[in-house]
Amino acid sequence: MPNIIEIHDFSQPELDVFARLTEAQLRNRLEQDKGLFIAESPKVIARALDAGYQPVSLLMERKHIEGQAQEIIARCGEIPIYTADREILAALTGYELTRGILCAMHRPHLPSVEELCVNAHRVAVLEGIVDSTNIGAIFRSAAALHMDAVLITPTCCDPLCRRAARVSMGTVFQVPWTRIGTVPADWPHPGMERLHNLGFKTAAMALSDKSVSIDDPVLMAEDKLAIVLGTEGDGLAAQTIADCDYTVKIPMSHGVDSLNVAAASAVAFWQLRAR
């Protein structure tokens, strides 16, 4: 039997997770291994459940209880389902809910880089990418275009933040990922050394006079390749490029100097996929 709770008081502490805790507070609530994140929309929530993520509570428009949320509710056991009309929920959360449904979920335990990459042949490494839309789009491309795993450097946006997970269409729950280091000093050199010890050659996506074309046969023939993508605007740090085995460019035309990092990731993942 669904545990449906009508919202009458915005100050209910049970609603903090949806209304008053920042992304950082959700991530580090109590202890890091007890952190939470918010999944938004039925498709994203369903993909998280498919991947084994554990729900804590739901927030949704009243009309969805017997509508598009029925299957989600049936899969979530007896967790609390907080509900009200759309206008009330928008006032509570501060934004319009996409398809009217949010789910608070437990954050997963992340594996080590070594555990994640033991059988991988193509991995994406994201350095300092802070835009959640770009993170979500890169994960969607990684899922669609044959990446075995994604590694996040310490200065990257959280892939489980609400917007990144939504833009990814839930693929962030399908592509194996973890953090390569916990503090900025862990990257680039220590992280690169871990990748090299695992047998990976590293390819920095950057424009320089020493770049090889993305369709270079030697590059494409590498058995284990880590594709390293840099932050919006400045791109990869000079030290990262220096530490990589290859510097790789996507040839441009019509005077265009570069692609957005999310668009570049899609081109790179497809061209450099394992054959």
Side-chain angles (χ1 to χ4, degrees), residues 93-264:
T93 62
Y95 54 85
E96 292 289 331
L97 276 63
T98 300
R99 299 190 179 275
I101 305 170
L102 300 178
C103 185
M105 294 185 143
H106 288 293
R107 296 185 70 86
H109 169 74
L110 294 178
S112 70
V113 172
E114 289 71 20
E115 290 170 328
L116 192 71
C117 294
V118 63
N119 294 315
H121 290 270
R122 291 293 184 270
V123 301
V125 183
L126 311 186
E127 178 185 273
I129 298 175
V130 297
D131 186 280
S132 56
T133 299
N134 282 333
I135 289 285
I138 291 169
F139 265 88
R140 191 172 181 183
S141 293
L145 301 174
H146 314 289
M147 289 297 103
D148 297 314
V150 177
L151 304 177
I152 306 296
T153 66
T155 55
C156 259
C157 168
D158 175 23
L160 294 183
C161 77
R162 180 179 60 86
R163 185 170 179 82
R166 179 163 62 83
V167 171
S168 82
M169 297 296 288
T171 55
V172 70
F173 309 120
Q174 298 175 313
V175 180
W177 70 275
T178 196
R179 296 189 177 278
I180 184 162
T182 56
V183 296
D186 291 334
W187 180 265
H189 185 69
M192 291 285 187
E193 189 171 12
R194 293 174 77 178
L195 289 169
H196 287 142
N197 288 341
L198 288 165
F200 283 92
K201 292 296 183 68
T202 50
M205 299 301 300
L207 296 173
S208 81
D209 294 337
K210 297 181 179 179
S211 297
V212 299
S213 177
I214 196 168
D215 59 358
D216 185 285
V218 175
L219 173 67
M220 293 168 59
E222 290 288 359
D223 179 49
K224 302 183 77 171
L225 189 66
I227 301 165
V228 188
L229 295 147
T231 185
E232 304 86 348
D234 293 335
L236 291 170
Q239 187 58 57
T240 301
I241 297 172
D243 282 350
C244 281
D245 299 294
Y246 298 97
T247 304
V248 182
K249 65 181 176 183
I250 300 171
M252 300 282 123
S253 63
H254 297 292
V256 178
D257 59 355
S258 65
L259 296 175
N260 165 274
V261 65

Side-chain angles (χ1 to χ4, degrees), residues 18-70:
F18 298 110
R20 286 174 286 277
L21 296 182
T22 65
E23 297 277 5
Q25 288 170 327
L26 285 170
R27 190 164 60 248
N28 300 306
R29 194 179 189 191
L30 300 177
E31 302 163 32
Q32 191 159 357
D33 63 350
K34 296 181 181 178
L36 304 174
F37 71 94
I38 302 296
E40 181 180 11
S41 87
K43 178 175 285 187
V44 172
I45 295 167
R47 283 186 167 163
L49 293 171
D50 290 344
Y53 286 70
Q54 296 300 308
V56 175
S57 58
L58 285 156
L59 178 74
M60 67 183 65
E61 289 182 58
R62 187 183 295 105
K63 68 180 182 180
H64 294 320
I65 292 173
E66 295 183 358
Q68 62 179 333
Q70 278 187 306

